[in-house]
Amino acid sequence: MKMFQKALASTQVFLFFCVVVFSTPPEDPIRCSSGNTSCTITNSYGMFPDRSICHASQVLYPTTEQELVSMVASAVRSKTKMKVATRFSHSIPKLVCPEGENGVLISTKYLNKIVKVDVEARTITVESGVTLKDVISEAAKAGLALPYAPYWWGLTIGGLMGSGAHGSTLWGKGSSVHDYVVNLRIVRPAAPQEGYAKVEILHEQHEDLNAAKLSLGVLGVISQITLKVEGIFKRSITYVAKNDSDLGEQVASFGYAHEFGDITWYPSQRRAVYRVDDRVPINASGNGLYDFIPFRPIPSLALALLRTTEDVQESAGDADGKCISAKATTTTLVTSAYGLTNNGIIFTRYPVIGFQNRLQASGTCLDSLKDAKITACAWDSRVKGEFFHQTTFSIGLSVVKDFIEDVQKLVELEPKGLCGLDLYNGILMRYVKASNAYLGKQEDALDFDITYYRSKDPMSPRLYEDIVEEIEQIGIFKYGGLPHWSKNRNLAFEGAIKKYKNAEKFLRVKEKYDSEGVFSSTWTDQMLGLKDGVTIVKDGCALEGLCICSQDSHCNPSRGYYCRAGKVYKEARVCTHLKSQ
Ligand SMILES: Cc1cc2nc3c(=O)[nH]c(=O)nc-3n(C[C@H](O)[C@H](O)[C@H](O)COP(=O)(O)OP(=O)(O)OC[C@H]3O[C@@H](n4cnc5c(N)ncnc54)[C@H](O)[C@@H]3O)c2cc1C
Ligand SMILES: *[C@@H]1O[C@H](CO)[C@@H](O)[C@H](O)[C@H]1NC(C)=O
Ligand SMILES: *[C@@H]1O[C@H](CO)[C@@H](O)[C@H](O)[C@H]1NC(C)=O
Ligand SMILES: *[C@@H]1O[C@H](CO)[C@@H](O)[C@H](O)[C@H]1NC(C)=O
């Protein structure tokens, strides 16, 4: 059995790396049955947390701000619900769904022009549908660079701002892109005498910018954004693997010591990989490139094999198999430097030194050379591949050590309990800084990104379901973690708005900009604490994170999973597998 598992693990790793160049671009998240009417929208994973499908009566594609104003005006006049959609739709929660069947989607797909690159002022002005990839490359052509950004470049500027996306730093204004916005144009509803819609121009000193730069899309449609950038610079990256015994002690000082540092934690392996990442002089030699392996095109056949293996391990309760696969995956990623190369071709040694625009983000699985499903992004819902939950929250640096130690206590009690995370590259820990955005980070914090198996069957429990559920509840409720607005399962948003000291100010701006709520839906109202019902109570709801279990039926007693207290955090209520009941 052990031999077989080892062979399987190495096959997995081999397939994982035999990446070919033919890739399929992701599917358009919007589908219409006739022309641009009678549409459905989903996210890039093809599944919302509650597995519902969202509808819209039509999708509109403005190409200029002027067209956008008239589209918003006509929807406001007829009191039609609207939502902004992007070409990617990467948000997991239902942010993009208009209410009911008759809403309208306004896509930023063709609002994709670079408006101005100002080398003197060190700013770049773009339309909101421009991708992060294009911002990075256009800035670089002018010798400029966005200092901090998400690691995946397949996001639009409007979408990543809309949900508070970030990279990792405690330096400068922090790692959230919205904190580098110096000017923004937003098309919002207006009174009939003003023509039902108007453009609001918000510069750095305007108070409303604190609402509009992280808005969940409920204030109107951002048409244009000006970001503060810097002169291009070089970085030096070295990954250092250590055991995790002193991780809790290390995290705060590590964050302040290294400008772009982050940590990938593999708790079941008791290992942490520190990314020692700093700015170096522009004449330091090196032309490194970061092409992160999990964001490369992966052969569909490999994806299917990996998924089948995980499905089998899950249904057979094969914890050892998962731990072996996990170790093999991690070892391969670490020895191949996660996709870093010294010169764009090969990795020979640390440090990897190179220009910011070649190191800050990647996503080669988006490039399409051929329209066949030979390779895809790992989570592409058209092929059998990854299907997962993502729990992501940030914990204040003042208590983060205690959180890490609680997770370590759980690993002591269940040593194999977290192997499953490592198949999705462990827990990614990134630094975020307090922001003046009303819905932004409230204090300097460490963001934990946890990805784990989701079954296609909503009633099917996971291996060590209880351990990850307990970590989710420890992070979010015991330590008051702030959930990432565009990730997470419903329960993470329970009471979340109360953690924002300026939530009232945000709601006042929302009332001022859109008093009829045409840009709001039941889901955004629930997220903002205006309506109850963030969690959904029904049989099996805790398995999908739609609720916190309060009775056994919220788990799955027929499969041996019952609602019980947590092991370390007694207030947690989790679905625990009881062997003899
Ligand atoms: C592979 C991958 C890697 C990721 N890496 C990171 C990371 O490193 N860091 C991080 O923080 N997050 C990361 N994310 C999450 C990502 O930041 C969010 O999914 C992102 O917000 C989605 O951007 P989008 O362009 O797909 O926007 P959508 O999901 O389509 O939209 C997000 C929200 O913004 C609103 N919106 C969009 N455009 C506008 C506009 N013009 N005006 C007003 N509202 C608008 C939408 O209505 C919606 O409410 C990652 C996601 C994936 C899939
Ligand atoms: C749908 O909208 C796009 C973008 O505006 C346009 O090119 C296309 O012709 C429209 N399709 C139909 C059938 O009207
Ligand atoms: C972890 O590493 C430290 C040195 O960095 C060492 O002192 C300690 O013994 C190690 N702990 C374990 C459990 O291996
Ligand atoms: C880089 O430039 C500085 C001064 O401009 C010089 O002192 C240094 O030696 C240079 N370093 C390299 C690696 O060329």
Side-chain angles (χ1 to χ4, degrees), residues 258-575:
H258 300 285
E259 184 175 359
F260 307 95
D262 71 25
I263 302 166
T264 307
W265 183 20
Y266 306 101
S268 279
Q269 300 178 46
R270 301 195 161 101
R271 177 145 77 143
V273 177
Y274 293 76
R275 171 158 154 176
V276 179
D277 189 342
D278 298 287
R279 212 179 273 243
V280 291
I282 196 86
N283 63 351
S285 79
N287 191 27
L289 181 74
Y290 205 165
D291 181 7
F292 187 51
I293 291 167
F295 296 168
R296 290 184 189 174
I298 316 262
S300 308
L301 273 174
L303 289 172
L305 182 73
L306 289 169
R307 180 66 187 184
T308 303
T309 306
E310 198 178 10
D311 282 338
V312 170
Q313 287 166 343
E314 280 285 333
S315 62
D318 180 11
D320 291 322
K322 277 206 125 166
C323 291
I324 291 170
S325 303
K327 256 200 179 125
T329 306
T330 307
T331 305
T332 321
L333 279 171
V334 171
T335 54
S336 55
Y338 294 95
L340 275 173
T341 51
N342 297 85
N343 53 9
I345 301 161
I346 185 168
F347 172 72
T348 49
R349 68 190 138 63
Y350 287 124
V352 170
I353 295 173
F355 288 103
Q356 166 72 349
N357 60 306
R358 286 166 57 87
L359 294 174
Q360 67 185 130
S362 71
T364 46
C365 70
L366 280 178
D367 300 336
S368 90
L369 289 175
K370 203 177 172 189
D371 200 20
K373 296 181 186 104
I374 302 173
T375 70
C377 293
W379 53 88
D380 192 319
S381 59
R382 288 167 301 175
V383 301
K384 178 170 180 167
E386 288 182 353
F387 187 57
F388 47 73
H389 286 298
Q390 219 163 32
T391 293
T392 304
F393 48 77
S394 57
I395 295 197
L397 289 181
S398 54
V399 291
V400 72
K401 176 170 176 282
D402 301 328
F403 170 73
I404 289 171
E405 289 173 358
D406 280 359
V407 174
Q408 288 172 327
K409 279 180 210 149
L410 280 168
V411 174
E412 288 289 323
L413 295 169
E414 284 294 358
K416 296 172 197 164
L418 296 178
C419 289
L421 307 186
D422 298 353
L423 295 171
Y424 300 86
N425 197 27
I427 302 179
L428 177 58
M429 295 154 59
R430 291 186 288 188
Y431 296 92
V432 289
K433 224 175 142 165
S435 167
N436 54 9
Y438 297 150
L439 299 183
K441 298 302 175 192
Q442 304 291 290
E443 58 180 322
D444 294 358
L446 189 57
D447 180 85
F448 293 78
D449 223 316
I450 308 175
T451 307
Y452 46 102
Y453 180 82
R454 183 180 190 187
S455 174
K456 290 279 171 176
D457 171 5
M459 288 304 290
S460 183
R462 282 180 299 286
L463 256 178
Y464 295 111
E465 172 95 38
D466 54 337
I467 305 297
V468 178
E469 281 181 8
E470 188 169 342
I471 292 172
E472 186 177 35
Q473 291 175 42
I474 291 174
I476 291 188
F477 302 113
K478 182 173 175 189
Y479 295 110
L482 301 181
H484 194 302
W485 291 111
S486 68
K487 301 186 182 183
N488 288 295
R489 319 188 303 163
N490 289 31
L491 83 132
F493 296 106
E494 187 68 62
I497 195 69
K498 297 198 191 95
K499 299 173 186 171
Y500 295 83
K501 60 180 181 296
N502 286 318
E504 275 306 317
K505 287 188 183 164
F506 182 84
L507 293 175
R508 277 204 294 275
V509 177
K510 176 172 130 57
E511 183 60 28
K512 175 167 115 190
Y513 278 41
D514 181 17
S515 56
E516 300 276 337
V518 287
F519 282 100
S520 293
S521 63
T522 301
W523 172 250
T524 57
D525 282 349
Q526 288 166 336
M527 266 182 149
L528 292 170
L530 299 171
K531 278 191 186 142
D532 289 335
V534 156
T535 56
I536 299 168
V537 177
K538 61 179 184 182
D539 284 359
C541 57
L543 304 175
E544 289 268 272
L546 298 176
C547 70
I548 296 170
C549 70
S550 54
Q551 56 193 57
D552 293 336
S553 64
H554 299 155
C555 301
N556 188 341
S558 72
R559 299 275 292 270
Y561 283 75
Y562 297 84
C563 186
R564 291 294 181 267
K567 292 179 163 62
V568 167
Y569 177 43
K570 301 296 174 199
E571 288 85 345
R573 302 287 296 173
V574 298
C575 295

Side-chain angles (χ1 to χ4, degrees), residues 44-45 83-86 88-92 95-96 108 128-129 149-152 154-167 186 215-218 220-223 295 379 390 430 449 484 486-487:
S44 61
Y45 313 96
K83 278 289 174 195
V84 192
T86 67
F88 296 122
S89 202
H90 277 310
S91 295
I92 295 173
L95 286 170
V96 75
T108 60
S128 61
Y151 294 180
W152 160 251
L155 304 169
T156 64
I157 294 296
L160 67 82
M161 277 173 50
S163 58
H166 58 84
I186 181 167
S215 70
L216 310 179
V218 300
V221 190
I222 296 168
S223 54
F295 296 168
W379 53 88
Q390 219 163 32
R430 291 186 288 188
D449 223 316
H484 194 302
S486 68
K487 301 186 182 183

Side-chain angles (χ1 to χ4, degrees), residues 35-36 61 110:
N36 294 327
Y61 293 97
Y110 302 113

